[in-house]
């Protein structure tokens, strides 16, 4: 009555509306390459186990390769009636090589098959992201020499706080993206296990060799429990978390640069190739790429949420709900990957508006903390030094001048032991240069970090 591979027990054909409702080929065709690789490894193992002959294995492999080429070249006919990528490939194989093709699904279920395909796909996606993150880090490190002598106001509460070198700023982003890389690499370890051979949920009574398929597909080992293997999507949730945090880092950078490129800040000149205009206001040059990077973060976080909610109510083992696991992963990956690919050239091509930044450095008493620390070195207790500098800042505010411009008499009124040499620690440049702690914005510290980054980027060409 029905020509579905699972149709033996059915007396009635599938309602067309159900076919349209249950299909996944519209999105899981993205797993085609992985599905074919998995099937080839499976066929080889079946031959090793004596479940098919060497000649049958050869015919299957050849047929699968041809189907793979057809799909890659866009010549393959996808049909909703064939439901998903697994049935498409198997069906096409049977059409091509006849009854031998009917042996491929031996000791296999779509449940372990889809879990395997998806893991293979996520593994490739992780590798692509590791490379994109490297490119972005390279762009930031590439700026460090260019901006070496540039000092920026550093902020807390978005209020001017202390001066920092631009290179220190750029390397802060490198650290964040490095943690993203580490998280992805760690996630990859749990992705890289092979569910194939777990069959529907209980394993199989046929003499399969799960180590062989795992090895052939480059997995570290087979998964340990068949029930867990077909139901586990932790790897997908973890991957989405990794993507979400990358997106959050990108968004946070984008927000900063949107702000810095406003007339109000005027710190940055974005490359015009990365901006767009307004259809009504002729003067506008808008930072749309940065805004969309910030905006698309919402989709990625949404995808993580979607996955967690999808999984929370599922009993063991496979449930069809799990078919819904792929769209959020594909979408989040595409989103983050394209954001990273745009972020790298944007970072490389943006210019700092040095005169505007320098003018700003003189306002906001960015050297007040350095002056306080200078007093501490003179033996003044921290709390007293803090209060004294607070009074000096107030005096400078009243005169509408910088700390360095205060007459010596004012300094001495507050701290009698001070002399003219106090001016040697004032000014944003001095504030940066007087830093000494590990990880600070001190030039020697930043230089060492830049060198370490260059070495790391050089030695790890992912
Ligand atoms: N298209 C399905 C999915 O993505 C494949 C597994 C279907 N398994 C089943 N027993 N219906 O989850």
């Amino acid at each position: 009555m029905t020509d579905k591979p699972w149709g033996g027990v059915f007396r009635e054909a599938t309602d067309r509306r159900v076919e349209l409702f249950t299909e996944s080929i519209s999105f899981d065709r993205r797993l085609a390459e992985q599905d074919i690789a998995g099937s080839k490894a499976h066929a080889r193992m079946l031959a090793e186990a004596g479940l098919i002959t060497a000649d049958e294995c050869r015919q299957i492999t050849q047929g699968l390769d041809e189907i793979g080429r057809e799909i890659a070249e866009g010549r393959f006919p996808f049909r909703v009636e064939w439901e998903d990528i697994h049935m498409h490939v198997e069906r096409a194989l049977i059409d091509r090589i006849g009854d031998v093709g009917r042996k491929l699904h031996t000791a296999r279920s779509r449940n372990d098959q889809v879990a395997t395909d998806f893991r293979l796909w996520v593994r490739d996606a992780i590798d692509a992201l590791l490379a994109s993150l490297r490119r972005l880090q390279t762009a930031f490190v590439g700026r460090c020499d260019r901006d070496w002598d540039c000092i920026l106001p550093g902020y807390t509460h978005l209020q001017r706080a202390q001066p920092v070198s631009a290179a220190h700023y750029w390397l802060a982003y490198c650290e964040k993206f490095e943690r993203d890389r580490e998280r992805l690499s760690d996630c990859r370890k749990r992705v890289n296990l092979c569910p194939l051979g777990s069959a529907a949920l209980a394993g199989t009574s046929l003499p399969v060799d799960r180590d062989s398929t795992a090895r052939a597909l480059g997995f570290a080992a087979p998964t340990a429990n068949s029930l867990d293997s077909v139901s586990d999507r932790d790897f997908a949730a973890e991957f989405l978390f990794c993507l979400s945090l990358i997106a959050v880092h990108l968004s946070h950078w984008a927000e900063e640069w949107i702000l810095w490129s406003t007339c109000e800040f005027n710190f940055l000149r974005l490359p015009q190739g990365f901006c767009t205009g307004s259809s009504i206001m002729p003067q506008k040059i808008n930072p749309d790429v940065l805004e969309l990077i910030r905006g698309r973060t919402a989709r990625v976080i949404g995808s993580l949420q979607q996955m967690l909610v999808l999984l929370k109510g599922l009993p063991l083992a496979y449930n069809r709900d799990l078919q819904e696991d792929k769209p959020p992963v594909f979408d989040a990956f595409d989103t983050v990957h394209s954001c990273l690919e745009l972020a790298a050239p944007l970072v490389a091509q943006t210019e700092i508006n040095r005169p505007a930044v320098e003018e700003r450095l003189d306002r906001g008493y960015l050297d007040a903390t350095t002056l306080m620390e200078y007093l501490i070195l003179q033996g003044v207790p921290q709390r007293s030094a803090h209060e004294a500098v607070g009074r000096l800042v107030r005096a400078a505010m009243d005169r509408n001048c910088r700390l360095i411009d205060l007459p010596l008499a004012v300094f001495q009124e507050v701290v009698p032991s001070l002399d003219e040499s106090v001016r040697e620690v004032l000014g944003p440049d001095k504030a940066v240069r007087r830093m000494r702690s590990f990880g600070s914005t001190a030039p020697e510290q930043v230089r060492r970090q830049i060198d370490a980054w260059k070495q790391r980027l050089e030695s790890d060409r992912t």
Side-chain angles (χ1 to χ4, degrees), residues 391-408:
R391 285 169 57 196
L392 288 168
V393 169
R394 170 56 56 202
M397 282 173 168
D398 291 345
R399 285 161 197 255
N400 194 21
C401 72
R402 303 171 302 175
L403 282 169
I404 202 169
D405 303 324
L406 285 174
L408 184 61

Side-chain angles (χ1 to χ4, degrees), residues 251-262:
S251 178
H252 152 65
W253 158 75
E255 162 64 13
E256 187 155 86
W257 278 30
I258 289 167
L259 211 56
W260 285 10
S261 63
T262 58

Side-chain angles (χ1 to χ4, degrees), residues 24 28 84 86 110-111 114 318 320 322-323 326:
S24 55
D28 68 12
D84 59 24
H86 323 295
R110 279 185 294 157
N111 299 352
V114 71
Y318 178 83
R320 190 62 179 268
L322 289 176
Q323 181 168 291
K326 284 168 281 297

Side-chain angles (χ1 to χ4, degrees), residues 115 122 198 202 229 239 260 308 312 401 412:
V122 171
S198 301
S229 305
F239 178 53
W260 285 10
L308 293 172
K312 74 174 271 297
C401 72
Q412 289 177 335

Side-chain angles (χ1 to χ4, degrees), residues 5 85-95 101 104-105 108:
I85 186 64
H86 323 295
M87 301 215 295
H88 271 77
V89 172
E90 190 187 353
R91 197 76 196 227
L93 184 70
I94 295 168
D95 283 351
L104 174 62
H105 212 54
R108 183 174 84 168

